[in-house]
Amino acid sequence: MLPASFHPASVPAARERGLAILGSTGSIGTQTLEIATLFPERLQVRALAAGSNGALLAEQARQYRPDVVCLADETGYAALKESLAGTGVRVLAGVDALAEIAMLDTVDVVVAAIVGAAGLRPTLVAVEAGKTVALANKETLVMAGALVQRLAREHGATLLPVDSEHSAIFQCLVGEDPTAIEMLTLTASGGPFRARPADTFSTITRAEALAHPNWSMGAKITIDSATLMNKGLEVIEAHWLFGLPPEQIEVLVHPQSIIHSLVTFRDGSTKAQLGVPDMKVPIQYALTYPDRWSAPHDRIDWSALRCLDFEAPDLERFPSLGLAFEALRQGGTAPAVLNAANEAAVALFLNEQIGFADIPELIEDALGQRTAEDGDSLEALIAVDQEARRLVHNRVAVRA
Ligand code: NAD
Ligand code: MG
């Protein structure tokens, strides 16, 4: 069964939609604002929030005139306040203020586009306020999928996927009986190291890992795409969004990123959603669902498209994908450990403190040190998250 949170009842169809964009200065956040620019009559930007880029947040506030902006990093408050003096835009700072933004009365749709575990708390607040949540922050569902779905049911919130693969599956499921699904097939580009020999993985540099062949994204998800952990996180995200067990979710490498995912039904029919790799399309669908609004995004040029390639993912060169399936099978808090250990390891790799091949090793190590107990409360999940990060840092300190 599709979770009840998919019902469009709380999405206002006729009147304008008020948006809060959490993570407005990032890759998803700025593309969401591009969509808002296309539909100024129908999408009202009510609130913007960012981590520490106060200069860009101020620029966005001057352009879109939201009611309120929030910077999570309090040290940037004074400069932001000064730069928005006289605009009438209310300025907030600190992580508690992020929660305030997620539950504003004027906001219908909260775009959850903060990266990593930092997005969990404000996303939960939006769910508890019964908002429609356009979810880009997959880490929220990986850490706390059971909690998010329970709260969404209790508070009548609607979760709509922004991630291109999950948007594709969602689009394939419109009008279908969810019990007729046999298999979800998440496509993966394979990242920059799809064809790189295993014995050269230890020499992979930060710059090489940040050069994604098809998508331009934030640094953390770009590294996740290079290790295939991004696809692992997406498998767990799909489990919680569509309510299917790991046996009914598979991954297929498709280097062109034209087919964004597929659904096979029990009668043997398969549906796919296709498009050029452009996040603005799934972002817009999450903002306009159940409608489709006319937009000038690039179309596929069928005359130029020569072939679509597919191959199975290589779990030996990319062990992170297998670890994610393993964490999902274990259940309980194992996915929260996986997510936190991955975030810690990716940050260390981006700081050039560990090598590329160390990332999955550190995650496996953290997963092996914990039993998969249940932990459905926010406090329990945050404690598990913190402990997994400590494990990773301790292991790296011992090695050094
Ligand atoms: P990004 O790094 O470009 O942007 C992250 C945003 O989060 C920025 O606005 C930043 O200011 C904000 N932020 C960071 N730390 C914060 C904190 N502690 N408190 C408050 N705000 C904070 O990341 P992105 O690529 O836009 O990705 C955002 C999310 O969307 C991730 O969860 C990612 O997995 C998901 N996603 C991204 C893409 C993509 O194409 N970029 C595609 C699918 C899913
Ligand atoms: Mg994706």
Side-chain angles (χ1 to χ4, degrees), residues 23-28 50-52 72 98 113-116 118 136-139 163 216-218 221 279:
S24 67
T25 57
S27 163
I28 294 293
S52 55
L98 281 178
I114 292 175
V115 61
N137 177 250
K138 63 193 84 183
E139 294 91 346
D163 216 344
S216 160
M217 309 177 286
I221 183 177
M279 283 307 297

Side-chain angles (χ1 to χ4, degrees), residues 67-296:
D67 307 327
V68 51
V69 295
C70 176
L71 200 59
D73 173 8
E74 295 181 45
T75 62
Y77 174 77
L80 181 62
K81 178 100 181 144
E82 192 186 323
S83 114
L84 291 177
T87 58
V89 178
R90 194 153 68 97
V91 178
L92 303 174
V95 284
D96 292 341
L98 281 178
E100 217 179 295
I101 291 221
M103 52 194 252
L104 287 173
D105 283 345
T106 51
V107 167
D108 304 296
V109 182
V110 174
V111 180
I114 292 175
V115 61
L120 174 63
R121 206 185 287 265
T123 306
L124 285 177
V125 170
V127 168
E128 283 176 307
K131 302 294 187 194
T132 293
V133 178
L135 188 77
N137 177 250
K138 63 193 84 183
E139 294 91 346
T140 285
L141 281 183
V142 175
M143 270 183 87
L147 177 62
V148 172
Q149 285 297 2
R150 178 165 62 73
L151 291 175
R153 272 193 303 277
E154 283 173 17
H155 297 276
T158 303
L159 283 185
L160 297 173
V162 166
D163 216 344
S164 57
E165 296 76 3
H166 306 75
S167 177
I169 290 169
F170 185 48
Q171 293 181 57
C172 291
L173 291 180
V174 170
E176 297 289 352
D177 170 4
T179 63
I181 302 170
E182 187 171 278
M183 184 65 74
L184 305 181
T185 305
L186 296 175
T187 52
S189 70
F193 309 128
R194 184 174 60 83
R196 183 161 172 147
D199 58 4
T200 67
F201 268 42
S202 59
T203 64
I204 287 172
T205 64
R206 179 182 189 276
E208 287 174 326
L210 282 172
H212 195 279
N214 301 351
W215 301 94
S216 160
M217 309 177 286
K220 191 256 175 184
I221 183 177
T222 304
I223 302 303
D224 287 347
S225 300
T227 60
L228 289 204
M229 179 54 91
N230 182 50
K231 214 47 54 179
L233 300 178
E234 290 182 358
V235 167
I236 301 173
E237 182 185 15
H239 163 75
W240 289 113
L241 280 173
F242 305 110
L244 289 168
E247 303 74 49
Q248 282 176 276
I249 307 171
E250 64 178 10
V251 171
L252 179 66
V253 173
H254 163 46
Q256 292 89 358
S257 299
I258 295 290
I259 297 182
H260 297 307
S261 276
L262 312 101
V263 181
T264 301
F265 296 92
R266 62 184 170 206
D267 61 356
S269 180
T270 296
K271 284 167 92 174
Q273 187 265 343
L274 288 73
V276 295
D278 178 357
M279 283 307 297
K280 289 196 284 301
V281 176
I283 293 170
Q284 180 177 318
Y285 191 66
L287 299 181
T288 69
Y289 174 82
D291 303 324
R292 290 187 186 270
W293 296 353
S294 301

